[in-house]
Amino acid sequence: ATWNFGDGSSAVAGQNPVNHTYTSAGYYLVTLTNEWRDSVTNTVYCTDVDTLTVHVRNVISGVLYTNNNPGSYKVWLIVYDQSNNTLTAVDSLIATGTNSFYPFYEFNDHPAGSYRTKAAPLAGTPAASLLAPTYYDSSLYWNTALVINHNGQTTTGNHIRMAVGNSNTGPGFIGGNISQGANKGTGAGVANLFVALVNTATQTVKYTYTDANGDYSFLNIPSGNYTVFPEALNYLTTPATNLSITGGQAMLNGINFKQTSSEIKPIPQSVNDMTANDMFSVYPNPTAGLMTINWKSGMA
């Protein structure tokens, strides 16, 4: 009897088990051929062939630490093209956990290379209002996520620790708009964009998504200093920082951003102050009714 392992190798079957190691993942058709031969003439009188498809897997896997929030989560496997500065989700799945078990994810049969993973609670589930979309192993942002160096065989232990929004409440409000191109926070809004509110300890206080007009808001914020950080694949973010909520300044509106083809960055709230004497002169002053306004060079 002989074995054909489907990868170009074979072996003679004996009474002891035959071990074979595959060097790459895939599906292989394994064939065992038995021949009944005349022991004297070596003539083949009968042949019996058995086949079996063997799936050799490579694995990228981990669990989601969800702070005891069972339910269903979507998990993405992402590759980064450094030459084009783009990220692409090459696979996705739904991972489900219970009160006894963490959600487990496993991606199979992907070639060796560098990957990122991201998980988010499914919309409408209880965890959706408690946990933010998170990259491996605990980052809100793709550019600071840990990279999984997959060897083409088995890469386990790629656990994602889901970021938790702080449930504290307070008197504060921070809001704004995220628009496309050079718009100043109105119209052409970027819808459904993830926005995080982060405290000075880099903890997620709250998170939200922009509405159809690109508007976002955070309500009931405790006093403190904050950073607003929009996040999306393929975009580098410049956050809005040093946003102070105090008893005397509890509302910060107009914290606007613009999204270009490659980045998300704040829109300045104002220009530098200038005095009237810097721009123009008026004479005579005082006047009996007729006066002349003279713009300085370059101001007209």
Side-chain angles (χ1 to χ4, degrees), residues 55-136:
H55 182 197
V56 179
R57 299 186 304 165
N58 68 41
V59 172
I60 301 172
S61 66
V63 300
L64 311 182
Y65 292 110
T66 63
N67 292 277
N68 297 318
N69 289 289
S72 296
Y73 297 76
K74 188 164 186 178
V75 187
W76 294 267
L77 184 68
I78 300 165
V79 295
Y80 175 56
D81 183 343
Q82 188 171 9
S83 61
N84 295 314
N85 194 35
T86 58
L87 294 106
T88 303
V90 295
D91 204 349
S92 64
L93 54 82
I94 303 298
T96 301
T98 65
N99 287 322
S100 301
F101 299 98
Y102 293 114
F104 172 80
Y105 74 89
E106 179 180 284
F107 295 105
N108 296 308
D109 302 336
H110 288 277
S114 298
Y115 296 89
R116 291 168 171 82
T117 53
K118 178 183 181 181
L122 292 186
T125 62
S129 62
L130 301 172
L131 302 177
T134 309
Y135 293 87
Y136 169 68

